Amino acid sequence: AAKIVDGNKCGIVVHPKDKISFLNASQTLYQSSLKRDEFARNSYRYAQDNFNIQKIADNFEAIIDKNAKRKTV
């Protein structure tokens, strides 16, 4: 999850046990509406690109077709 968040600029990633980094990240988000808006836009874009039901169905169907062809050959 951290790679997705960081790689797509959807938020700030901190180590789960690093309280100082968590507080700093929280303060950054609290103080910057521009950063919150940027993360919101990027998160929405990521969700649209990766959780599109038609895209998921097409990928699933392609996997089934590929496996079905293997069994008939």
Side-chain angles (χ1 to χ4, degrees):
K3 288 181 183 180
I4 292 170
V5 171
D6 195 43
N8 292 281
K9 298 181 182 4
C10 296
I12 300 172
V13 176
V14 298
H15 189 276
K17 295 184 179 186
D18 188 345
K19 295 175 187 175
I20 300 299
S21 292
F22 176 78
L23 292 172
N24 289 337
S26 299
Q27 186 173 22
T28 296
L29 292 174
Y30 178 77
Q31 293 175 343
S32 177
S33 63
L34 292 175
K35 203 51 120 169
R36 291 192 309 270
D37 290 343
E38 174 190 355
F39 290 154
R41 281 191 309 275
N42 293 343
S43 297
Y44 184 79
R45 185 178 315 116
Y46 180 83
Q48 289 291 93
D49 292 345
N50 292 281
F51 300 115
N52 177 292
I53 191 67
Q54 187 60 53
K55 184 177 178 181
I56 292 169
D58 291 345
N59 288 339
F60 187 67
E61 186 176 348
I63 291 168
I64 291 172
D65 287 346
K66 182 179 177 182
N67 287 322
K69 288 177 184 174
R70 276 190 197 162
K71 289 181 181 183
T72 59
V73 174

